[in-house]
Amino acid sequence: FYRVLESPNGRVQLRLVDHQAAHGIDLLPPSGVVAFPGEPPIAVLRYDIGGTGIGGTSTAILEMGPKIVAIDPRTSGIQQDAYVDDVDGDGKYELLVVNDGWAHYFSMASAAGPEFWVVFDRVNGKFEPACRKHRRAYRTWIASNLKTAEAPGLPPPDRAEFYASALLYAAPIGGIA
């Protein structure tokens, strides 16, 4: 990352402020905007670290203030994938982090298994779990998994994975109903 500086004589200079390295790096939305009011803009980086599926990527949320600081929480499960999005359409961004702690449920050789999103709100400069505050999003994810699980012709292991994902989405909000 470079900071753009303009000298008194009007020349533009770039100053290296942070270096990121990986096999491949994507800059994801909403990078470059103030996602959390009263805080510096953020950068959402997706690193390609090799392999297939969710285990082959890692995500970092960086605060682009005077110092570049990683602000993403690592609080439950093996969280490797994350997004910053407005999950409920209220105009405020939330952090969604995949909890793939059940990823090897069906096969120890790969990341085949259920996973679910954990939703965090940004409160006083910290991320706090906010799953129950976003029940509508969770109910949508539950319904989507149940609909997929009931699709005709779906192989039994895949059907079980979608049912398990629906149950995992239900747990943080206190049930399916």
Side-chain angles (χ1 to χ4, degrees):
F1 288 103
Y2 289 88
R3 192 167 313 277
V4 178
L5 305 171
E6 188 172 337
S7 65
N9 65 5
R11 295 183 62 197
V12 174
Q13 299 175 344
L14 297 177
R15 182 175 54 132
L16 179 67
V17 292
D18 193 52
H19 174 76
Q20 301 285 320
H23 178 70
I25 300 176
D26 292 321
L27 190 61
L28 303 177
S31 293
V33 302
V34 174
F36 308 110
E39 297 185 33
I42 63 167
V44 183
L45 301 178
R46 169 84 33 79
Y47 301 97
D48 175 7
I49 55 177
T52 59
I54 200 160
T57 63
S58 180
T59 305
I61 315 296
L62 305 176
E63 189 175 75
M64 305 300 289
K67 289 181 85 175
I68 295 177
V69 179
I71 60 171
D72 50 301
R74 303 290 182 197
T75 57
S76 65
I78 307 166
Q79 299 170 352
Q80 296 183 9
D81 207 0
Y83 292 94
V84 175
D85 199 2
D86 179 3
V87 298
D88 53 10
D90 66 355
K92 297 177 187 174
Y93 285 104
E94 291 85 28
L95 174 66
L96 290 85
V97 182
V98 73
N99 182 320
D100 64 352
W102 292 77
H104 300 285
Y105 180 75
F106 292 109
S107 168
M108 294 307 287
S110 68
E115 62 190 37
F116 65 101
W117 293 101
V118 179
V119 179
F120 294 86
D121 283 342
R122 189 88 169 149
V123 179
N124 297 323
K126 297 183 187 237
F127 286 107
E128 293 183 357
C131 303
R132 288 181 184 239
K133 289 168 67 177
H134 301 284
R135 282 187 168 97
R136 180 177 289 150
Y138 276 83
R139 287 188 182 114
T140 299
W141 296 326
I142 290 167
S144 175
N145 276 279
L146 290 175
K147 182 177 180 180
T148 303
E150 294 162 5
L154 192 67
D158 293 345
R159 186 177 312 281
E161 180 178 340
F162 285 105
Y163 279 130
S165 288
L167 288 172
L168 290 170
Y169 276 118
I173 63 168
I176 290 179

